[in-house]
Amino acid sequence: MQPSHTVLIGGFAPLTLGMLADINHATGLSNTLHIIVHSPNRSPLPSGRAPTLADVVRWVQVACQPFGFVQVHTFDSLGLPKISFDYRFDDHLDEQAFLDICQALDISYKSAKLGIKNHSDQAPPFLHHLPKTCDDAIAIFEQPLAYFHRLAPACRYFYTQTVCIVGGESSGKTTLVHKLANHYGASVALEMGRLYTHSHLGGSELALQYSDYAPIAINHAKAIDTAIHAATAPITLIDTDFATTQAFCETYEGRTHPLLASLIESQRMDFTIYLDNNVAWVADGMRRLGDDAKRSAFAEQLLNILARHGISHHTIDDADYHARYLQAVAWIDRHILGNLSDDGRISGKATDEN
């Protein structure tokens, strides 16, 4: 007879496709599956971010939201003391601890199974063996970016590292972003100022005014959020940041925009690459900072804003566009992806080819 309840306990950080397979299997063992999420081990990403318990609960809840027969808990929400147990690695849970869990869940001891690995012939009747689908669980935990394709869609937004390309007008930002996107298979948040100029200003910055900076910033924030949550690779590329938009506002309007200042602080990118203004200026019908003096002044303004907000950056200053691309790939591989090999599912080094 099928029991009424199954209990699955784990860290789920990161939540992987293998874990989702385990959850799918566990849902067939009883009428209700209880997933108890415990505090994650805080293994930081290259950016320094590490998941909180609330992050992990969110991932599990989003992944299981279509299933009305799955309930997600934490030890705190159940009023239970924290225990060190994870179904992927541990073969036995103390029977008293399981009785306490059953009592907290208000379920009968006899009506529950505990979904864990157990290889003992003397296993109590409430223990059940799950198929071993998480063979690389430790490797994924230690190098989640190397196994990005094995992460559950619900948590990829947290693990992808945002790389923002900034610089002055005609510094090659957009071209570099698209070349890097092709190299890494990465999602992109496009520069909203350029799109807004075409959609609202008739294709030229000549009509740009102070009131335009708020919708540009809001649209950019939405684009960044969309790109991150649709992440296809360990990095997500951002064409221009809020600091750059602020630099344009201060240059053109002579004043700082408070919304941009707030977004610079609240919507931080993980990494910033600054492109020096030492390539030829190209007129495209939109740009207004064509002479060297204006370009230099804008670059200085941008660097001051980055410093004002404590945003560190890596500078690429080669005067050749293709050399800039190669430098960016080398830096990203070294400082973010850790020179991962092809079997780590990160594309190989860029080569100096035409």
Side-chain angles (χ1 to χ4, degrees):
M1 180 176 177
Q2 179 166 281
S4 299
H5 301 272
T6 299
V7 179
L8 197 62
I9 305 172
F12 305 101
L15 182 65
T16 68
L17 296 179
M19 293 175 190
L20 294 185
D22 287 345
I23 290 172
N24 285 345
H25 181 82
T27 59
L29 303 178
S30 63
N31 298 324
T32 302
L33 170 63
H34 299 274
I35 300 176
I36 303 178
V37 182
H38 63 62
S39 298
N41 294 320
R42 296 179 179 273
S43 181
L45 291 161
S47 59
R49 285 186 285 111
T52 65
L53 178 59
D55 288 321
V56 184
V57 169
R58 177 184 306 186
W59 305 338
V60 177
Q61 288 188 156
V62 168
C64 297
Q65 190 172 16
F67 307 139
F69 43 82
V70 175
Q71 298 181 20
V72 181
H73 316 271
T74 66
F75 285 101
D76 285 341
S77 72
L78 294 173
L80 293 171
K82 297 178 179 64
I83 61 173
S84 177
F85 182 86
D86 193 308
Y87 80 92
R88 295 169 296 169
F89 313 118
D90 298 313
D91 290 333
H92 183 68
L93 177 66
D94 178 78
E95 187 168 349
Q96 183 59 51
F98 185 64
L99 286 170
D100 292 340
I101 290 171
C102 288
Q103 182 176 6
L105 293 172
D106 193 24
I107 60 178
S108 167
Y109 170 88
K110 293 183 179 180
S111 70
K113 284 188 177 182
L114 178 66
I116 68 168
K117 297 184 299 179
N118 191 288
H119 308 287
S120 170
D121 292 335
Q122 304 301 317
F126 55 79
L127 297 181
H128 187 83
H129 173 62
L130 284 176
K132 194 166 185 278
T133 57
C134 284
D135 292 342
D136 297 323
I138 295 177
I140 296 173
F141 170 78
E142 292 176 345
Q143 283 192 305
L145 298 187
Y147 295 90
F148 192 82
H149 66 296
R150 301 276 293 276
L151 303 185
C155 75
R156 289 178 183 174
Y157 76 91
F158 183 91
Y159 285 89
T160 189
Q161 305 288 278
T162 52
V163 180
C164 187
I165 309 298
V166 304
E169 285 189 345
S170 197
S171 57
K173 300 185 295 295
T174 300
T175 298
L176 178 59
V177 163
H178 286 294
K179 292 180 75 171
L180 292 174
N182 287 342
H183 181 74
Y184 292 107
S187 300
V188 173
L190 296 174
E191 178 188 356
M192 285 298 110
R194 176 175 296 275
L195 297 179
Y196 185 88
T197 298
H198 283 291
S199 63
H200 288 70
L201 305 181
S204 169
E205 290 180 351
L206 184 63
L208 184 67
Q209 56 187 311
Y210 184 78
S211 60
D212 293 312
Y213 286 91
I216 288 172
I218 292 170
N219 289 344
H220 200 191
K222 291 179 179 177
I224 292 170
D225 183 71
T226 298
I228 291 172
H229 280 83
T232 55
I235 66 168
T236 295
L237 295 157
I238 315 298
D239 185 352
T240 308
D241 65 351
F242 301 112
T244 306
T245 307
Q246 185 76 284
F248 280 113
C249 185
E250 293 182 1
T251 298
Y252 291 158
E253 308 299 330
R255 51 179 168 160
T256 298
H257 200 294
L259 176 60
L260 286 167
S262 176
L263 287 170
I264 292 171
E265 290 296 327
S266 62
Q267 305 290 324
R268 307 289 281 217
M269 305 301 119
D270 293 322
F271 299 93
T272 299
I273 294 177
Y274 170 79
L275 302 182
D276 198 8
N277 269 345
N278 58 344
V279 293
W281 187 81
V282 178
D284 63 356
M286 294 174 53
R287 299 165 177 150
R288 291 193 274 169
L289 304 175
D291 64 71
D292 290 341
K294 289 181 179 179
R295 293 181 73 196
S296 296
F298 179 85
E300 189 66 28
Q301 185 80 355
L302 173 56
L303 291 172
N304 287 338
I305 293 172
L306 292 175
R308 184 193 312 166
H309 290 276
I311 299 175
S312 60
H313 62 276
H314 171 69
T315 298
I316 290 180
D317 57 6
D318 198 290
D320 178 78
Y321 284 111
H322 188 62
R324 287 186 172 206
Y325 160 67
L326 295 175
Q327 286 182 350
V329 169
W331 188 85
I332 290 170
D333 285 349
R334 184 182 312 115
H335 293 277
I336 304 177
L337 303 180
N339 288 318
L340 299 175
S341 61
D342 287 337
D343 56 5
R345 278 69 180 182
I346 302 298
S347 57
K349 294 179 180 297
T351 56
D352 193 1
E353 299 174 345
N354 292 324

